[in-house]
Amino acid sequence: MTFTKKLMQLRKQNGYSQEELAQKLDITRQSISKWESGQSVPDLKRIIQLSKLFNVSTDYLLKDNIETVPSIDATTIPLRQISMSEATTFLDIKTATSKAIAFGIFLCIIAPICLLILSASSLPENTATTVGLVVLLLLVALAVAIFIASGHQSEPFTYLDKENFETYADVRKMVTVRRAQYKNTYTKNNIIGSCSCILAALPIIIGSISFGDNDLLLMLTLAATLVLAGIGTGFFIHTGIIWVSFEKLLQTGDYSKSNKDRRSIIAPLSMVYWLVITAIYLGYSFATNNWYYSWLIWLMAVLLYPAIINLLFALSKKLH
């Protein structure tokens, strides 16, 4: 079997279109088409890339007399190679979606504000509650739509969270340089986020001291607290997503090869944890109508998160 037939067969067996295979090799689709039609042959570098990508030997690709794919021990299967185009696309997507996700989180945090203010206004209770809940649900629905759209854009790169892979030297250099250039912004955004979250306590403290008998003014101070907390959280989320994207490509920090198994367990635990906290927050708030203090549930959840997640992780390891 000739190289052209072997390449076409391997590409189809692995479910790649010519365009997708070209992206993996960081070349044009026309190059793949020429290889498969016999108009040209790849150089040694591309032959090695194809060998690693399809998990076959270079001899199999180059020698027409070798018809069957040689079996390879699973322990010797080469790791996926991340090309320059893949790395650049991933970083660009994460930079764009980080702003959208941060805005979605901000919407979730400020969603109760309308309900809080209207509940303390002179409007009839039923009207205030209805309008407030409609606004709350619209903001949350918009946030969920943003999360789903952002997740869809990042979906092709989910393997970076779970699989070990290799990057070419020029790709690592590019990511390292971009991370170094972003470090000052990362530090600045974390400072802004921290200060905003700390200062978020001021409006509610001032309100409780100065406006204790005025429900409307108290709700306005609580609204200011939620806005400041939302801004601070938004800065954390935006800059954190970008920084983590560098860690994923460089396989450092929480995304080092040794930590990926741990993250594969912690990720679903974290999702369940925050779903439970959200259910508790909404259940308590609607049951008691005590929105003024129920936000403290989130504060306690954040403080207890590391200890609870580590405990659940330890228990899951024992069960397995």
Side-chain angles (χ1 to χ4, degrees):
M1 188 186 303
T2 62
F3 168 77
T4 57
K5 292 182 179 179
K6 289 178 181 178
L7 176 60
M8 189 179 301
Q9 183 181 72
L10 288 169
R11 177 176 62 78
K12 292 180 179 179
Q13 285 176 350
N14 285 270
Y16 294 137
S17 65
Q18 288 187 344
E19 182 70 31
E20 289 170 333
L21 179 56
Q23 290 178 355
K24 295 290 181 184
L25 301 178
D26 200 18
I27 57 177
T28 63
R29 186 197 63 79
Q30 288 75 15
S31 296
I32 302 296
S33 178
K34 289 180 179 180
W35 293 351
E36 291 187 352
S37 63
Q39 298 178 45
S40 65
V41 294
D43 57 23
L44 181 58
K45 177 183 176 182
R46 302 305 181 192
I47 289 292
I48 294 173
Q49 284 183 276
L50 289 169
S51 171
K52 291 181 178 180
L53 180 63
F54 293 130
N55 192 28
V56 296
S57 66
T58 55
D59 281 350
Y60 171 75
L61 291 172
L62 296 173
K63 295 181 179 180
D64 294 348
N65 61 328
I66 302 179
E67 296 287 337
T68 58
V69 179
S71 60
I72 299 178
D73 189 344
T75 59
T76 64
I77 295 177
L79 296 176
R80 181 198 292 258
Q81 293 280 353
I82 306 300
S83 67
M84 181 67 77
S85 61
E86 284 179 300
T88 303
T89 301
F90 172 70
L91 291 176
D92 290 343
I93 287 175
K94 284 300 182 181
T95 299
T97 57
S98 65
K99 297 177 181 178
I101 293 173
F103 181 63
I105 295 293
F106 176 76
L107 291 178
C108 289
I109 292 175
I110 67 168
I113 287 180
C114 184
L115 179 61
L116 293 172
I117 294 175
L118 291 179
S119 66
S121 69
S122 58
L123 288 174
E125 183 178 351
N126 289 340
T127 302
T129 302
T130 301
V131 174
L133 286 176
V134 168
V135 173
L136 184 150
L137 293 175
L138 285 174
L139 291 178
V140 172
L142 177 58
V144 170
I146 290 172
F147 298 150
I148 293 174
S150 299
H152 180 71
Q153 291 184 60
S154 301
E155 189 176 356
F157 300 96
T158 53
Y159 66 87
L160 295 176
D161 295 349
K162 304 173 184 179
E163 300 178 18
N164 292 329
F165 54 85
E166 294 179 354
T167 51
Y168 298 115
D170 57 340
V171 176
R172 291 189 63 84
K173 182 178 179 181
M174 180 273 292
V175 177
T176 302
V177 169
R178 287 185 61 167
R179 183 175 67 169
Q181 292 172 341
Y182 187 73
K183 188 171 183 180
N184 288 337
T185 302
Y186 173 74
T187 303
K188 180 187 69 176
N189 286 348
N190 277 319
I191 291 173
I192 295 173
S194 299
C195 291
S196 183
C197 288
I198 293 171
L199 293 175
L202 280 180
I204 198 170
I205 292 173
I206 294 172
S208 61
I209 295 174
S210 305
F211 313 118
D213 298 328
N214 191 317
D215 290 342
L216 180 58
L217 289 178
L218 279 174
M219 290 301 108
L220 288 173
T221 59
L222 179 55
T225 291
L226 292 176
V227 169
L228 286 173
I231 292 172
T233 304
F235 271 95
F236 284 134
I237 297 296
H238 166 57
T239 202
I241 289 175
I242 295 175
W243 190 260
V244 164
S245 67
F246 296 132
E247 288 193 338
K248 287 181 180 181
L249 289 174
L250 296 175
Q251 297 188 96
T252 59
D254 289 340
Y255 292 89
S256 65
K257 295 179 180 180
S258 59
N259 283 336
K260 285 191 177 179
D261 290 339
R262 185 175 188 272
R263 289 192 61 83
S264 66
I265 298 176
I266 287 180
L269 292 178
S270 296
M271 182 179 295
V272 172
Y273 176 81
W274 289 114
L275 286 174
V276 171
I277 293 300
T278 301
I280 293 173
Y281 167 72
L282 293 176
Y284 173 80
S285 299
F286 283 118
T288 64
N289 201 31
N290 192 6
W291 297 89
Y292 187 75
Y293 290 106
S294 62
W295 68 275
L296 293 172
I297 292 173
W298 291 107
L299 177 61
M300 295 301 298
V302 171
L303 294 175
L304 293 174
Y305 173 77
I308 292 178
I309 289 298
N310 284 328
L311 175 62
L312 293 175
F313 174 73
L315 291 174
S316 66
K317 292 291 285 185
K318 287 184 178 181
L319 292 175
H320 288 82

